Amino acid sequence: MEEKKLKIPFPIIVEGKYDRLRLLTVCEARILTTDGFGIFKKNEKLALFRKLSEHTPIIILTDSDGAGKLIRSHLSGAVPPDKLIHVYIPAIKGKEKRKAQPSAAGTMGVEGMTERLLYDLLRPYEDESAVLLAKENPLCKADLYRDGLCGRDDSAARRNELARRIGLPPDMTPNALLATLRILYTYEQYKELVAPFQ
């Protein structure tokens, strides 16, 4: 990749050292690891993440499999929600080169993503004002409800279809999808995205 590395002003939390090394190919940032499920045993790591969140928003970038969701959920319960920036990788079938077998979910993790994809995922966060703009974005849960992305029998399927079209993992909760959409898209762009559902 020819472009300069991104300079991300926020700390980024990933699962393991290979994820960290992968991100360092596309950005300069303070990248911290949970040591996989080690986060459930290491109170000092959680204490560090909480302390950091007192001073800055924190980006969470975990794998899109069950383990990644569990780690993300644990961190979400430990750090104030308004201090977390959830970034998601798409669920792409395959396995990382260094692994003999694919994951249980059969999808690649952060370390298996292309530099281009990771660059594009993190680019909105290079500018601190992007996070501030998201707080001003009027998109809210009522919009998701009105557009059938929550509150209906087929809402999960609709969210999955939208996630597939914009490169997010499946099975996102309405709140997770909302937080992500508010940073990645303006209200007008969101309306264009959901137009096919009308």
Side-chain angles (χ1 to χ4, degrees):
M1 200 172 74
E2 298 296 319
E3 295 176 82
K4 286 184 179 178
K5 285 187 181 182
L6 298 167
K7 293 185 187 308
I8 306 297
F10 312 112
I12 304 173
I13 298 175
V14 295
E15 292 180 46
K17 67 178 182 180
Y18 292 104
D19 299 330
R20 181 178 182 278
L21 291 172
R22 189 64 174 153
L23 286 191
L24 287 172
T25 65
V26 299
C27 72
E28 294 174 13
R30 182 168 185 194
I31 305 173
L32 307 162
T33 67
T34 67
D35 300 326
F37 284 140
I39 192 65
F40 295 103
K41 302 174 191 168
K42 297 181 178 175
N43 290 331
E44 68 276 6
K45 281 233 171 184
L46 273 184
L48 169 63
F49 298 157
R50 284 192 194 103
K51 191 67 178 172
L52 283 171
S53 75
E54 291 174 11
H55 304 281
T56 177
I58 298 173
I59 294 173
I60 297 181
L61 180 58
T62 59
D63 296 350
S64 58
D65 60 6
K69 289 177 184 174
L70 193 60
I71 292 167
R72 185 184 292 272
S73 176
H74 186 64
L75 292 171
S76 297
V79 175
D82 64 323
K83 291 297 190 147
L84 294 178
I85 301 169
H86 291 276
V87 177
Y88 298 88
I89 59 168
I92 299 174
K93 294 289 184 188
K95 71 173 187 68
E96 289 82 1
K97 291 178 183 176
R98 71 176 182 87
K99 294 181 179 176
Q101 300 293 326
S103 70
T107 56
M108 291 189 289
V110 171
E111 71 171 282
M113 298 295 109
T114 65
E115 288 183 1
R116 175 82 267 161
L117 187 144
L118 291 172
Y119 189 93
D120 290 343
L121 283 176
L122 291 172
R123 185 172 31 201
Y125 309 100
E126 187 173 34
D127 183 358
E128 290 184 56
S129 64
V131 176
L132 297 175
L133 286 173
K135 291 183 178 178
E136 297 170 8
N137 189 331
L139 181 63
C140 65
K141 195 86 167 274
D143 294 299
L144 269 59
Y145 181 81
R146 184 195 59 237
D147 296 323
L149 295 170
C150 66
R152 292 174 33 165
D153 290 340
D154 65 343
S155 291
R158 286 170 165 253
R159 287 195 305 275
N160 282 343
E161 174 57 21
L162 178 61
R164 184 192 64 75
R165 284 197 285 127
I166 61 177
L168 294 173
D171 304 322
M172 293 180 77
T173 66
N175 288 339
L177 181 62
L178 176 62
T180 303
L181 289 171
R182 291 184 76 215
I183 287 179
L184 296 180
Y185 301 98
T186 65
Y187 189 78
E188 292 71 26
Q189 289 170 328
Y190 163 79
K191 294 305 294 176
E192 291 175 14
L193 285 173
V194 297
F197 292 117
Q198 307 308 312

